[in-house]
Amino acid sequence: MGVRSVCCILLISLIKSSSAHSDVFTSIGHMTDLLFTEKDLVTSLKDYIRAEERKLEQVKQWAKKLDALTATATQDPEGFLGHPVNAFKLMKRLNTEWGEVEDLVLKDMSDGFISNLTIQRQYFPNDEDQTGAAKALLRLQDTYQLDTQTISSGDLPGVTTSSPFKSTLKVDDCFELGKIAYSDADYYHTELWMAQALKQLDEGEETSVDVVSVLDYLSYSVYQQGELERALEHTKRLLSVDPEHQRALGNLKYFDYQLAKQKKAEKEQSAKEESKKERVGKGEYFPEKRKYQQLCRGQGVRMTPRRQSRLFCRYYNNNRHPFYMIGPVKQEDEWDRPRIIRYHDIITEKEMEKVKELAKPRLHRATISNPVTGVLETAQYRISKSAWLVAHEHPVVDRINQRIEDITGLDVKTAEELQVANYGVGGQYEPHFDFGRKDEPDAFKALGTGNRIATWLFYMSDVTAGGATVFPEVGATVKPMKVLTICLMSFSFVLSLFACPLVSNKWIHERGQEFRRPCGLKETD
């Protein structure tokens, strides 16, 4: 029986991608480009400010000179104009120089900045991207059980208080998160973020967001979750600020009426209260989801001391492989059932950089194989970007493929191409099997290489926190580490909290392994 794996969620790294359903996300490379684009725009904006300041300084100097001149001249106009030079210069100023001042004042110094902004705008995230990033943040909140205050204050796991990258959410940010949740009928998260916005408003934070709007959203989202008394409380506070608010006046009467009805049905109310306790986020909360989220948080199954005693580290040469006789690789047992192995220092820093360089321009929304049709398509349970690298396109890719074959002893000629995957802000891959199950006989029919039998996974970036590959059915959690490699027989999964790991993987298939890894007499062999 195969083991399902899950991709844990990432908090900081990536944002943009063309994708349906607003689950949008970008690879770290593209996000880095956006940072430099913004830096370039700031430089352009500062150039514009300096140009405006130079123009204003010229106008100020002209005004200062004329102020002194007219003050003297108007004290004795006849005497002043009695000097023929003064009369000539007066005519010249009014006929010529004031026109030049007018031209200077009307001169638009923003052309350069506006031109640069227009060019760069084509690369900007759009509303769909912003919505996708917000939903990703909400997924992180649920998976890692982060309260709104923790996220808003920037005190996230792995971030020190002195970190230069620590960032906080203002009232308008919290309000925007609440609105996006509201537009998706996600009243649970609407309530959480509107309450956080209200809290920061009550603490005196200055913002353009008014308390009436926050209370309006808050009261309705609370009502939608069956909390009539609290909805009524928020509505009354809203009316204390804006007594003429028409919707609130109508809601006040309606909530009073519904509350009276509710008190007559205590059993129904009790059922709703129980449902509220069990719900985390929008929709039904499945036990399986709770389990894999616990694993992602590091609250998974602990292997017994007896099982741990059977796990070893060793130098491995794959049955005296000629290449690894001289330089054996570092192998570490990570899990016993199923067998999960870590390899250390299999890929070099230089090779990783080349892989990233090759993959960056090709990263696109990741797809899954439809279990019925076998056709590749996007899915809401897999939010990431990926690219495929062919062996013949660069020696580094060819070397990596050969290395995988040498270490595993499996033929990679029938394996899929090397995939590079990047999980963005809240990127995820929910519980899944890498291989085709018995009820999916055509999962890889188009490839003609049989089913997947093993997954080889390189971690190509370090993470501050999270980033584990987890297996809910056996309780295994594999933590990421740059230049670390894991080999999994028939399954895989990744989910990360911080700086989502950049990974590359190789899926190895049945065909070609007949004589390298003959089948045993038992299904479990």
Side-chain angles (χ1 to χ4, degrees), residues 64-75:
K64 182 178 180 180
K65 181 179 74 172
L66 267 294
D67 183 47
L69 180 64
T70 54
T72 302
T74 54
Q75 289 180 359

Side-chain angles (χ1 to χ4, degrees), residues 232-252:
L232 192 61
E233 179 184 332
H234 292 311
T235 302
K236 288 179 179 179
R237 179 176 174 184
L238 190 161
L239 288 170
S240 71
V241 179
D242 183 3
E244 303 302 320
H245 196 285
Q246 293 302 307
R247 184 165 52 251
L249 288 170
N251 286 345
L252 183 65

Side-chain angles (χ1 to χ4, degrees), residues 294-308:
Q294 287 175 340
L295 289 171
C296 290
R297 293 192 296 269
Q299 301 171 354
V301 174
R302 294 290 182 269
M303 192 178 289
T304 63
R306 184 176 180 181
R307 288 176 65 186
Q308 284 181 333

Side-chain angles (χ1 to χ4, degrees), residues 119-182:
I119 292 172
Q120 301 291 358
R121 193 182 297 278
Q122 62 183 310
Y123 306 112
F124 281 14
N126 55 28
D127 290 343
E128 186 183 24
D129 298 321
Q130 182 174 330
T131 298
K135 288 182 178 180
L137 194 56
L138 301 183
R139 282 197 296 269
L140 287 167
Q141 181 179 4
D142 288 345
T143 300
Y144 295 100
Q145 295 184 335
L146 303 173
D147 59 60
T148 54
Q149 180 60 39
T150 296
I151 298 174
S152 181
S153 63
D155 296 322
L156 300 169
V159 176
T160 61
T161 55
S162 60
S163 172
F165 304 121
K166 181 179 177 179
S167 183
T168 60
L169 294 176
K170 301 301 182 183
V171 169
D172 58 310
D173 300 318
C174 299
F175 185 66
E176 182 66 22
L177 285 168
K179 284 202 303 180
I180 288 173
Y182 179 85

Side-chain angles (χ1 to χ4, degrees), residues 42-43 54 87 97 116 138 177 193 279 308 310 352 403 405 462 504:
V42 170
T43 300
R54 285 194 296 270
E97 295 180 10
N116 190 21
L138 301 183
L177 285 168
W193 285 103
R279 185 171 65 253
Q308 284 181 333
R310 297 170 182 170
M352 285 189 291
R403 204 170 297 155
E405 179 170 313
D462 281 319
S504 64

Side-chain angles (χ1 to χ4, degrees), residues 300-339:
V301 174
R302 294 290 182 269
M303 192 178 289
T304 63
R306 184 176 180 181
R307 288 176 65 186
Q308 284 181 333
S309 68
R310 297 170 182 170
L311 303 180
F312 297 95
C313 296
R314 66 188 66 82
Y315 283 103
Y316 178 73
N317 61 23
N318 191 17
N319 296 320
R320 302 178 67 82
H321 187 284
F323 188 80
Y324 294 108
M325 281 294 292
I326 300 174
V329 296
K330 302 171 186 175
Q331 187 187 76
E332 177 185 356
D333 295 330
E334 179 66 32
W335 202 260
D336 56 350
R337 298 187 301 272
R339 192 181 185 203

